[in-house]
Amino acid sequence: MNSYEFLIHHYRGPPSPTGEGLYCSNQRKSFKINLNINQKGNLTVKTMKVFNTETRVKEELIPIEEGKIKMYACGPTVYNFFHVGNARCFVVFDMLRRYLRYRGYDVTFVQNFTDIDDKMIKKANEENTTVKAIADKYIAEYFIDAKGLGIEPASFHPHATDNIDGIIDIISTLIEKGHAYRTDDGVYFRTGSFKDYGKLSHMNRDDLEAGARIEVDSGKEDPLDFALWKAKKPGEPFWPSPFGEGRPGWHIECSAMSKRYLGESIDIHCGGQDLTFPHHENEIAQSECCSGKQFVKYWMHNGYINVDNQKMSKSLGNFFTVRDAAAKFGYLPIRFFLLSAHYRTPVNFSAETLAAAKSSLERIFNAVESLSFYITNAPEGELSADVKAKLDAHKEKFITVMDDDFNTADGTSTIFELVSDVFAWIKEGVSKASAEAALALLNELCGLMGYVKETNNDDELIKYIEEQIELRKAAKKAKNFAEADRIRDELAEKGIILKDTREGTTYTINA
């Protein structure tokens, strides 16, 4: 299959004076499409579609600016280690950024840290320390777990407390435009002033009021009005502002950070399903009332991680931190588990599901290692037409399912279909060129998904292992099987697992 990329200029304007066709004005919209010529010579158009929470349908992904994606994801409130439920959002949207980049987009990705919050103040008081100390500690811990999960750093990781000026500017504008008002407790957003309030969550006003986190304040005009600025209280951090000393509300922080790093309108805003209301609903209201522009073009939300059919959360006490789960199963099985289901589908967490994920990863790693070893002694020859056709089909299928609302579940299944072919090709004894092409695609797709085993590149260790393999080989040749078994068992105790194959002895190093 050959793939070609074209830039399309779409002119939008009124009908032509003659009534024939369209009158082309200077209102030009540009977007990129991929045209593929398949093996039958048919021309097909490949576009990526995503499910937009706001419209509740899959929509073609057409960026605001051709070839570029501006993307914001709500990051953690840093008062503790993050749990597996939090990790789903972080892993899924790290993977989305990777895939968008793979498809040729220039992605600017912002993921914030909420470093001032009621929970953080409570934690600091409990530990007799400062909110900043708590934030610094758990931001550092976040990056340890994120690196283990294969999460790449965002383009920007802004802190809420570094954006107080931007927060104050937005609040001042909202007050000036009549969308916010002052009370003795701070500043509140006037939800009744935004006619589209509720458009993301699709709930009527009664449902919205039932789901809102109602803050007790006699000065509020409406139960749905939410805090933009909270007046100073004893023992809490505070900043000066035109509306008095205090600190920002939660929702306004993300609007300010998104505006600073991505502008007033962005392509994708993502987060967990539980953030749809009130957090993201409130972000829309305050951002669009401030700028007068559409805030987000596509809203994407991942489903819950459930434990015993209940959402995993710290408030319910049924959570498992990534740190604890990784200590038992490793980080990569957690990533695999989180990507092996469609991102919008609820999934059940258990020790059994992580154990199954670990076994599935081992099959992928075995395919990579077996193919790499096979290539060292593979027969010379050209890339066979049959192997090439199957590799093209696997890649085309992978892109097709991933383009369809970012289906990592089917993308992972496609990798396993490739793995099955790899083992079959090794057994058949395909040419070196065919094996190298298969390994290249396997590494490409696994690298994209983050299914890459950490390797120990210590030269001394590798030299030691290879020496032990040769000693074991000599022992077996001399029929000294007890010595051969001793070498194998001694290596196993060190986490070095030998595997005898028809082509020779291979090994894996377990972390």
Side-chain angles (χ1 to χ4, degrees), residues 33-77:
I33 63 171
N34 290 290
L35 300 181
N36 298 316
I37 300 177
N38 61 24
Q39 293 173 342
K40 295 181 180 179
N42 297 324
L43 189 67
T44 60
V45 179
K46 295 190 72 65
T47 58
M48 188 172 178
K49 292 185 177 181
V50 296
F51 183 87
N52 188 344
T53 306
E54 182 177 342
T55 61
R56 293 189 173 180
V57 296
K58 291 181 187 178
E59 298 181 11
E60 271 190 40
L61 181 64
I62 302 175
I64 296 170
E65 183 178 356
E66 190 274 322
K68 297 183 178 181
I69 295 286
K70 294 183 290 184
M71 178 176 164
Y72 187 96
C74 290
T77 300

Tab-separated table of all heavy atoms in Angstrom, residues 33-77:
chain	number	residue	atom	x	y	z
A	33	ILE	N	-5.065	15.613	4.614
A	33	ILE	CA	-5.654	14.279	4.520
A	33	ILE	C	-4.597	13.318	3.989
A	33	ILE	O	-3.621	13.719	3.359
A	33	ILE	CB	-6.893	14.244	3.596
A	33	ILE	CG1	-6.500	14.604	2.148
A	33	ILE	CG2	-7.987	15.149	4.098
A	33	ILE	CD1	-7.617	14.379	1.164
A	34	ASN	N	-4.800	12.042	4.270
A	34	ASN	CA	-3.917	11.003	3.766
A	34	ASN	C	-4.665	10.172	2.741
A	34	ASN	O	-5.737	9.630	3.032
A	34	ASN	CB	-3.442	10.102	4.917
A	34	ASN	CG	-2.487	10.826	5.828
A	34	ASN	OD1	-1.371	11.110	5.441
A	34	ASN	ND2	-2.936	11.146	7.031
A	35	LEU	N	-4.135	10.095	1.544
A	35	LEU	CA	-4.726	9.280	0.498
A	35	LEU	C	-3.891	8.017	0.346
A	35	LEU	O	-2.672	8.079	0.210
A	35	LEU	CB	-4.758	10.048	-0.831
A	35	LEU	CG	-5.571	11.358	-0.836
A	35	LEU	CD1	-5.536	11.978	-2.218
A	35	LEU	CD2	-7.006	11.104	-0.419
A	36	ASN	N	-4.552	6.877	0.355
A	36	ASN	CA	-3.867	5.596	0.246
A	36	ASN	C	-4.312	4.874	-1.012
A	36	ASN	O	-5.501	4.852	-1.354
A	36	ASN	CB	-4.169	4.706	1.455
A	36	ASN	CG	-3.670	5.324	2.743
A	36	ASN	OD1	-2.559	5.827	2.781
A	36	ASN	ND2	-4.488	5.319	3.773
A	37	ILE	N	-3.353	4.288	-1.695
A	37	ILE	CA	-3.663	3.407	-2.816
A	37	ILE	C	-3.414	1.990	-2.344
A	37	ILE	O	-2.272	1.605	-2.058
A	37	ILE	CB	-2.797	3.736	-4.046
A	37	ILE	CG1	-3.052	5.186	-4.489
A	37	ILE	CG2	-3.090	2.765	-5.167
A	37	ILE	CD1	-2.183	5.635	-5.645
A	38	ASN	N	-4.509	1.201	-2.196
A	38	ASN	CA	-4.348	-0.153	-1.680
A	38	ASN	C	-3.877	-1.105	-2.756
A	38	ASN	O	-3.646	-0.713	-3.912
A	38	ASN	CB	-5.653	-0.635	-1.018
A	38	ASN	CG	-6.821	-0.689	-1.995
A	38	ASN	OD1	-6.629	-0.803	-3.207
A	38	ASN	ND2	-8.034	-0.612	-1.458
A	39	GLN	N	-3.775	-2.390	-2.407
A	39	GLN	CA	-3.206	-3.375	-3.330
A	39	GLN	C	-4.064	-3.581	-4.573
A	39	GLN	O	-3.590	-4.049	-5.603
A	39	GLN	CB	-3.004	-4.695	-2.591
A	39	GLN	CG	-1.929	-4.602	-1.509
A	39	GLN	CD	-1.867	-5.861	-0.668
A	39	GLN	OE1	-2.790	-6.653	-0.657
A	39	GLN	NE2	-0.770	-6.030	0.033
A	40	LYS	N	-5.357	-3.226	-4.480
A	40	LYS	CA	-6.244	-3.359	-5.630
A	40	LYS	C	-6.237	-2.106	-6.499
A	40	LYS	O	-6.952	-2.031	-7.499
A	40	LYS	CB	-7.667	-3.650	-5.145
A	40	LYS	CG	-7.792	-4.990	-4.435
A	40	LYS	CD	-9.241	-5.227	-4.009
A	40	LYS	CE	-9.377	-6.571	-3.298
A	40	LYS	NZ	-10.782	-6.818	-2.862
A	41	GLY	N	-5.443	-1.126	-6.096
A	41	GLY	CA	-5.351	0.096	-6.870
A	41	GLY	C	-6.440	1.099	-6.579
A	41	GLY	O	-6.582	2.098	-7.274
A	42	ASN	N	-7.224	0.855	-5.520
A	42	ASN	CA	-8.295	1.774	-5.166
A	42	ASN	C	-7.775	2.896	-4.277
A	42	ASN	O	-6.920	2.668	-3.429
A	42	ASN	CB	-9.423	1.030	-4.445
A	42	ASN	CG	-10.074	-0.012	-5.330
A	42	ASN	OD1	-10.223	0.194	-6.534
A	42	ASN	ND2	-10.447	-1.145	-4.743
A	43	LEU	N	-8.321	4.081	-4.471
A	43	LEU	CA	-7.920	5.242	-3.689
A	43	LEU	C	-8.827	5.368	-2.468
A	43	LEU	O	-10.046	5.365	-2.585
A	43	LEU	CB	-8.026	6.509	-4.536
A	43	LEU	CG	-7.457	7.806	-3.953
A	43	LEU	CD1	-5.945	7.720	-3.835
A	43	LEU	CD2	-7.851	8.990	-4.818
A	44	THR	N	-8.228	5.445	-1.293
A	44	THR	CA	-9.006	5.598	-0.072
A	44	THR	C	-8.496	6.807	0.699
A	44	THR	O	-7.329	7.161	0.621
A	44	THR	CB	-8.900	4.351	0.835
A	44	THR	OG1	-7.537	4.147	1.202
A	44	THR	CG2	-9.422	3.112	0.133
A	45	VAL	N	-9.389	7.455	1.443
A	45	VAL	CA	-9.018	8.614	2.249
A	45	VAL	C	-8.982	8.199	3.712
A	45	VAL	O	-9.934	7.603	4.213
A	45	VAL	CB	-10.036	9.761	2.069
A	45	VAL	CG1	-9.645	10.954	2.937
A	45	VAL	CG2	-10.130	10.172	0.610
A	46	LYS	N	-7.875	8.475	4.398
A	46	LYS	CA	-7.739	8.123	5.804
A	46	LYS	C	-7.771	9.394	6.639
A	46	LYS	O	-6.942	10.273	6.477
A	46	LYS	CB	-6.447	7.355	6.063
A	46	LYS	CG	-6.397	6.000	5.379
A	46	LYS	CD	-5.217	5.175	5.851
A	46	LYS	CE	-5.419	4.670	7.264
A	46	LYS	NZ	-6.530	3.716	7.383
A	47	THR	N	-8.758	9.478	7.507
A	47	THR	CA	-8.851	10.601	8.428
A	47	THR	C	-9.047	10.049	9.827
A	47	THR	O	-9.624	8.988	10.016
A	47	THR	CB	-10.030	11.528	8.084
A	47	THR	OG1	-11.239	10.767	8.105
A	47	THR	CG2	-9.850	12.167	6.719
A	48	MET	N	-8.594	10.778	10.804
A	48	MET	CA	-8.746	10.343	12.181
A	48	MET	C	-10.043	10.908	12.746
A	48	MET	O	-10.392	12.059	12.501
A	48	MET	CB	-7.562	10.829	13.019
A	48	MET	CG	-7.531	10.256	14.426
A	48	MET	SD	-5.998	10.679	15.285
A	48	MET	CE	-6.311	9.927	16.880
A	49	LYS	N	-10.774	10.062	13.481
A	49	LYS	CA	-12.001	10.485	14.133
A	49	LYS	C	-11.876	10.294	15.638
A	49	LYS	O	-11.283	9.323	16.095
A	49	LYS	CB	-13.197	9.691	13.607
A	49	LYS	CG	-13.548	9.982	12.159
A	49	LYS	CD	-14.815	9.266	11.740
A	49	LYS	CE	-15.199	9.633	10.318
A	49	LYS	NZ	-16.467	8.957	9.904
A	50	VAL	N	-12.439	11.234	16.391
A	50	VAL	CA	-12.448	11.125	17.846
A	50	VAL	C	-13.867	11.379	18.339
A	50	VAL	O	-14.634	12.129	17.726
A	50	VAL	CB	-11.465	12.113	18.511
A	50	VAL	CG1	-10.035	11.797	18.119
A	50	VAL	CG2	-11.813	13.555	18.173
A	51	PHE	N	-14.199	10.732	19.452
A	51	PHE	CA	-15.506	10.946	20.065
A	51	PHE	C	-15.454	12.222	20.886
A	51	PHE	O	-14.649	12.348	21.811
A	51	PHE	CB	-15.876	9.761	20.960
A	51	PHE	CG	-17.250	9.877	21.574
A	51	PHE	CD1	-18.363	9.423	20.886
A	51	PHE	CD2	-17.426	10.455	22.830
A	51	PHE	CE1	-19.634	9.531	21.441
A	51	PHE	CE2	-18.690	10.573	23.390
A	51	PHE	CZ	-19.800	10.103	22.690
A	52	ASN	N	-16.317	13.163	20.532
A	52	ASN	CA	-16.368	14.452	21.208
A	52	ASN	C	-17.440	14.391	22.293
A	52	ASN	O	-18.626	14.213	21.994
A	52	ASN	CB	-16.693	15.560	20.195
A	52	ASN	CG	-16.568	16.955	20.778
A	52	ASN	OD1	-16.528	17.127	21.995
A	52	ASN	ND2	-16.512	17.956	19.911
A	53	THR	N	-17.038	14.516	23.556
A	53	THR	CA	-17.993	14.449	24.654
A	53	THR	C	-19.083	15.493	24.516
A	53	THR	O	-20.242	15.251	24.879
A	53	THR	CB	-17.267	14.651	26.003
A	53	THR	OG1	-16.193	13.724	26.117
A	53	THR	CG2	-18.212	14.441	27.174
A	54	GLU	N	-18.741	16.652	23.968
A	54	GLU	CA	-19.727	17.733	23.867
A	54	GLU	C	-20.831	17.400	22.876
A	54	GLU	O	-22.016	17.612	23.135
A	54	GLU	CB	-19.039	19.048	23.480
A	54	GLU	CG	-20.000	20.219	23.416
A	54	GLU	CD	-19.317	21.539	23.105
A	54	GLU	OE1	-18.084	21.625	23.281
A	54	GLU	OE2	-20.019	22.478	22.696
A	55	THR	N	-20.469	16.869	21.703
A	55	THR	CA	-21.471	16.560	20.676
A	55	THR	C	-21.976	15.129	20.771
A	55	THR	O	-22.984	14.779	20.164
A	55	THR	CB	-20.882	16.777	19.277
A	55	THR	OG1	-19.757	15.897	19.094
A	55	THR	CG2	-20.435	18.225	19.096
A	56	ARG	N	-21.237	14.281	21.506
A	56	ARG	CA	-21.570	12.864	21.696
A	56	ARG	C	-21.581	12.074	20.391
A	56	ARG	O	-22.340	11.121	20.225
A	56	ARG	CB	-22.918	12.717	22.412
A	56	ARG	CG	-22.883	13.221	23.849
A	56	ARG	CD	-24.134	12.879	24.611
A	56	ARG	NE	-23.995	13.223	26.023
A	56	ARG	CZ	-24.943	13.038	26.939
A	56	ARG	NH1	-26.095	12.500	26.590
A	56	ARG	NH2	-24.740	13.371	28.200
A	57	VAL	N	-20.749	12.463	19.462
A	57	VAL	CA	-20.564	11.709	18.223
A	57	VAL	C	-19.082	11.709	17.871
A	57	VAL	O	-18.311	12.543	18.352
A	57	VAL	CB	-21.370	12.303	17.038
A	57	VAL	CG1	-22.866	12.211	17.290
A	57	VAL	CG2	-20.953	13.749	16.766
A	58	LYS	N	-18.697	10.769	17.021
A	58	LYS	CA	-17.341	10.774	16.488
A	58	LYS	C	-17.245	11.860	15.431
A	58	LYS	O	-18.116	11.967	14.561
A	58	LYS	CB	-16.986	9.423	15.863
A	58	LYS	CG	-16.846	8.285	16.846
A	58	LYS	CD	-16.474	7.004	16.098
A	58	LYS	CE	-16.484	5.795	17.024
A	58	LYS	NZ	-16.165	4.540	16.302
A	59	GLU	N	-16.180	12.630	15.513
A	59	GLU	CA	-15.984	13.706	14.554
A	59	GLU	C	-14.616	13.592	13.906
A	59	GLU	O	-13.662	13.118	14.522
A	59	GLU	CB	-16.084	15.070	15.256
A	59	GLU	CG	-17.428	15.352	15.890
A	59	GLU	CD	-17.462	16.728	16.546
A	59	GLU	OE1	-16.522	17.523	16.313
A	59	GLU	OE2	-18.407	16.995	17.288
A	60	GLU	N	-14.538	14.054	12.661
A	60	GLU	CA	-13.238	14.126	12.001
A	60	GLU	C	-12.352	15.097	12.753
A	60	GLU	O	-12.787	16.183	13.135
A	60	GLU	CB	-13.389	14.601	10.554
A	60	GLU	CG	-13.599	13.497	9.563
A	60	GLU	CD	-13.504	14.003	8.137
A	60	GLU	OE1	-12.621	14.855	7.857
A	60	GLU	OE2	-14.310	13.563	7.312
A	61	LEU	N	-11.116	14.692	12.960
A	61	LEU	CA	-10.159	15.564	13.640
A	61	LEU	C	-9.558	16.528	12.626
A	61	LEU	O	-8.709	16.151	11.819
A	61	LEU	CB	-9.066	14.730	14.312
A	61	LEU	CG	-8.008	15.517	15.085
A	61	LEU	CD1	-8.638	16.238	16.266
A	61	LEU	CD2	-6.896	14.598	15.574
A	62	ILE	N	-10.022	17.755	12.656
A	62	ILE	CA	-9.503	18.805	11.766
A	62	ILE	C	-8.981	19.920	12.661
A	62	ILE	O	-9.756	20.630	13.307
A	62	ILE	CB	-10.584	19.338	10.814
A	62	ILE	CG1	-11.159	18.192	9.977
A	62	ILE	CG2	-10.011	20.429	9.917
A	62	ILE	CD1	-12.311	18.599	9.088
A	63	PRO	N	-7.675	20.071	12.771
A	63	PRO	CA	-7.097	21.041	13.709
A	63	PRO	C	-7.472	22.481	13.374
A	63	PRO	O	-7.795	22.809	12.230
A	63	PRO	CB	-5.582	20.825	13.561
A	63	PRO	CG	-5.433	19.502	12.885
A	63	PRO	CD	-6.636	19.319	12.044
A	64	ILE	N	-7.431	23.307	14.393
A	64	ILE	CA	-7.665	24.743	14.211
A	64	ILE	C	-6.615	25.318	13.260
A	64	ILE	O	-6.923	26.095	12.361
A	64	ILE	CB	-7.615	25.472	15.566
A	64	ILE	CG1	-8.761	24.986	16.468
A	64	ILE	CG2	-7.687	26.983	15.369
A	64	ILE	CD1	-8.657	25.462	17.909
A	65	GLU	N	-5.372	24.900	13.469
A	65	GLU	CA	-4.269	25.315	12.589
A	65	GLU	C	-3.728	24.085	11.897
A	65	GLU	O	-3.370	23.104	12.545
A	65	GLU	CB	-3.168	26.004	13.399
A	65	GLU	CG	-2.029	26.531	12.560
A	65	GLU	CD	-0.964	27.253	13.378
A	65	GLU	OE1	-1.161	27.408	14.606
A	65	GLU	OE2	0.066	27.642	12.783
A	66	GLU	N	-3.682	24.115	10.586
A	66	GLU	CA	-3.292	22.944	9.790
A	66	GLU	C	-1.986	22.328	10.273
A	66	GLU	O	-0.987	23.024	10.454
A	66	GLU	CB	-3.161	23.350	8.312
A	66	GLU	CG	-2.999	22.186	7.360
A	66	GLU	CD	-1.548	21.750	7.220
A	66	GLU	OE1	-0.661	22.624	7.198
A	66	GLU	OE2	-1.304	20.531	7.139
A	67	GLY	N	-2.026	21.023	10.513
A	67	GLY	CA	-0.813	20.286	10.876
A	67	GLY	C	-0.399	20.389	12.319
A	67	GLY	O	0.575	19.767	12.723
A	68	LYS	N	-1.144	21.170	13.126
A	68	LYS	CA	-0.750	21.373	14.520
A	68	LYS	C	-1.909	21.026	15.451
A	68	LYS	O	-3.069	21.284	15.137
A	68	LYS	CB	-0.297	22.816	14.766
A	68	LYS	CG	0.949	23.201	13.975
A	68	LYS	CD	1.398	24.617	14.302
A	68	LYS	CE	2.680	24.970	13.536
A	68	LYS	NZ	3.162	26.335	13.858
A	69	ILE	N	-1.581	20.459	16.593
A	69	ILE	CA	-2.580	20.138	17.605
A	69	ILE	C	-2.180	20.801	18.918
A	69	ILE	O	-1.054	20.620	19.397
A	69	ILE	CB	-2.694	18.606	17.830
A	69	ILE	CG1	-3.226	17.906	16.582
A	69	ILE	CG2	-3.579	18.306	19.042
A	69	ILE	CD1	-4.691	18.102	16.325
A	70	LYS	N	-3.109	21.576	19.478
A	70	LYS	CA	-2.916	22.149	20.812
A	70	LYS	C	-3.787	21.344	21.778
A	70	LYS	O	-5.000	21.297	21.611
A	70	LYS	CB	-3.292	23.633	20.818
A	70	LYS	CG	-2.364	24.493	19.965
A	70	LYS	CD	-2.726	25.968	20.041
A	70	LYS	CE	-4.031	26.270	19.346
A	70	LYS	NZ	-4.344	27.727	19.331
A	71	MET	N	-3.145	20.752	22.780
A	71	MET	CA	-3.816	19.747	23.603
A	71	MET	C	-3.525	19.998	25.080
A	71	MET	O	-2.383	20.240	25.468
A	71	MET	CB	-3.285	18.370	23.164
A	71	MET	CG	-3.791	17.174	23.900
A	71	MET	SD	-3.090	15.694	23.101
A	71	MET	CE	-3.412	14.474	24.377
A	72	TYR	N	-4.579	19.938	25.894
A	72	TYR	CA	-4.448	20.167	27.340
A	72	TYR	C	-5.055	18.988	28.081
A	72	TYR	O	-6.151	18.526	27.755
A	72	TYR	CB	-5.169	21.450	27.742
A	72	TYR	CG	-4.954	21.884	29.180
A	72	TYR	CD1	-3.975	22.816	29.506
A	72	TYR	CD2	-5.719	21.357	30.222
A	72	TYR	CE1	-3.767	23.223	30.821
A	72	TYR	CE2	-5.527	21.754	31.544
A	72	TYR	CZ	-4.548	22.684	31.831
A	72	TYR	OH	-4.331	23.084	33.124
A	73	ALA	N	-4.342	18.499	29.090
A	73	ALA	CA	-4.845	17.423	29.945
A	73	ALA	C	-4.735	17.848	31.393
A	73	ALA	O	-3.716	18.407	31.814
A	73	ALA	CB	-4.055	16.132	29.712
A	74	CYS	N	-5.801	17.600	32.155
A	74	CYS	CA	-5.775	17.932	33.577
A	74	CYS	C	-4.826	16.985	34.307
A	74	CYS	O	-4.982	15.755	34.233
A	74	CYS	CB	-7.171	17.831	34.169
A	74	CYS	SG	-8.269	19.144	33.596
A	75	GLY	N	-3.856	17.564	34.993
A	75	GLY	CA	-2.877	16.773	35.721
A	75	GLY	C	-3.297	16.536	37.154
A	75	GLY	O	-4.419	16.867	37.564
A	76	PRO	N	-2.403	15.995	37.964
A	76	PRO	CA	-2.759	15.619	39.334
A	76	PRO	C	-2.774	16.794	40.303
A	76	PRO	O	-2.087	17.794	40.107
A	76	PRO	CB	-1.637	14.640	39.711
A	76	PRO	CG	-0.451	15.128	38.923
A	76	PRO	CD	-1.014	15.621	37.616
A	77	THR	N	-3.597	16.637	41.337
A	77	THR	CA	-3.476	17.486	42.528
A	77	THR	C	-2.457	16.791	43.420
A	77	THR	O	-2.678	15.662	43.860
A	77	THR	CB	-4.821	17.622	43.255
A	77	THR	OG1	-5.766	18.208	42.352
A	77	THR	CG2	-4.680	18.507	44.480
